[in-house]
Amino acid sequence: MRRRAFWAGIAVGLGVSAAFLTLVFVGRPSSPSANAPWGANSAHLRERLRAHDLPALPVEGKALHTHEHLDLYLNGRHVAVPANVGIGSDPRFYSPLHTHDRTGILHVESPTRKTYTLGQFFAVWGVRLNATCIGGYCAAGSRTLQAFVDGTRVEGDPVRIPLRRHAEIVIAFGTQADLPKRIPSSYSFPAGY
C-alpha cells in the first residue's frame, strides 16, 4: 500500500513538473496577471517560435518585407511596443515578425510569402491576446477589448487580423471613456518603409 502511494505521488509530481515546463518552454503567453508595460520577452524565444511553426532566421527574410504600425491603449494610457520583440541573441537570430525600436512599427521580414497575423506577432512577443484579453487585462463589466484597423472597428478575435503593408492597428482595453478621442487611422511611416 505504501509503495503504491509512493509511486502515485511520484506520478503526480512528474505530471505537475511536465505541465510547468511545458508552460515555460513552449511559450505560453504572459501569465494572465502580467501587466503592462511588457518587455521584449526574448527568454525562450526559440521555443515560442518552434511552438508556433515560425523559423529562427540567421538574417532577416527577403521574400516578404512589409511594415505595419501597432498602437496599444490600456485603460486610457498609450503603451509602447518594446524594441527587439522577436530578435534573439547568442547567436543573434530573427523571427519573421519583429520590432527594432519602440515606435510601434512591426516588421514582417520573411523568407516565404504568406499572410501573417497579429496573433502570431503576439505569440512571438509572448503576450496573451485573444477576443477578451491582452496580457492580464481581461474584459469584465464595462471594460472591453476592442480592435481597429485603419480606424475601423474589427469585430471578432483580434488574433485573426492579417498583417498587411502600412496597416494601422489599434488594440484598446478599458471603458468606452478610456478609448482615445480619435482612433488612429493611419501612421506616417519613414521614407523607404
Side-chain angles (χ1 to χ4, degrees):
M1 189 66 139
R2 280 186 158 174
R3 179 178 269 175
R4 190 177 312 163
F6 171 80
W7 287 111
I10 294 290
V12 168
L14 289 173
V16 169
S17 296
F20 174 76
L21 290 173
T22 298
L23 291 176
V24 168
F25 290 108
V26 171
R28 177 177 180 243
S30 313
S31 86
S33 63
N35 293 326
W38 299 286
N41 290 335
S42 59
H44 311 295
L45 175 58
R46 282 187 192 273
E47 291 87 353
R48 285 197 305 276
L49 294 177
R50 269 195 294 275
H52 297 283
D53 294 322
L54 293 168
L57 305 168
V59 296
E60 296 165 313
K62 306 276 188 241
L64 177 64
H65 188 173
T66 65
H67 301 98
E68 299 73 23
H69 187 260
L70 176 61
D71 277 307
L72 300 176
Y73 295 93
L74 302 174
N75 296 317
R77 184 174 57 102
H78 188 265
V79 175
V81 177
N84 299 318
V85 170
I87 299 176
S89 59
D90 199 24
R92 190 168 186 85
F93 65 94
Y94 300 86
S95 162
L97 310 173
H98 57 268
T99 65
H100 289 287
D101 54 32
R102 294 171 43 95
T103 60
I105 295 175
L106 310 183
H107 295 253
V108 177
E109 297 178 51
S110 173
T112 58
R113 296 190 67 75
K114 61 190 265 183
T115 301
Y116 290 96
T117 65
L118 185 62
Q120 288 174 301
F121 174 77
F122 273 82
V124 167
W125 189 6
V127 173
R128 172 172 62 175
L129 179 67
N130 59 40
T132 58
C133 298
I134 179 170
Y137 302 86
C138 293
S142 63
R143 298 193 183 286
T144 62
L145 180 71
Q146 297 184 47
F148 302 83
V149 175
D150 298 335
T152 302
R153 174 115 191 254
V154 174
E155 298 297 329
D157 197 337
V159 300
R160 294 190 179 115
I161 293 173
L163 298 180
R164 56 179 179 71
R165 185 175 185 272
H166 289 185
E168 166 58 27
I169 302 168
V170 174
I171 301 294
F173 174 84
T175 65
Q176 197 64 31
D178 291 333
L179 285 176
K181 299 299 177 231
R182 284 183 79 214
I183 300 294
S185 60
S186 64
Y187 181 77
S188 185
F189 288 88
Y193 274 58

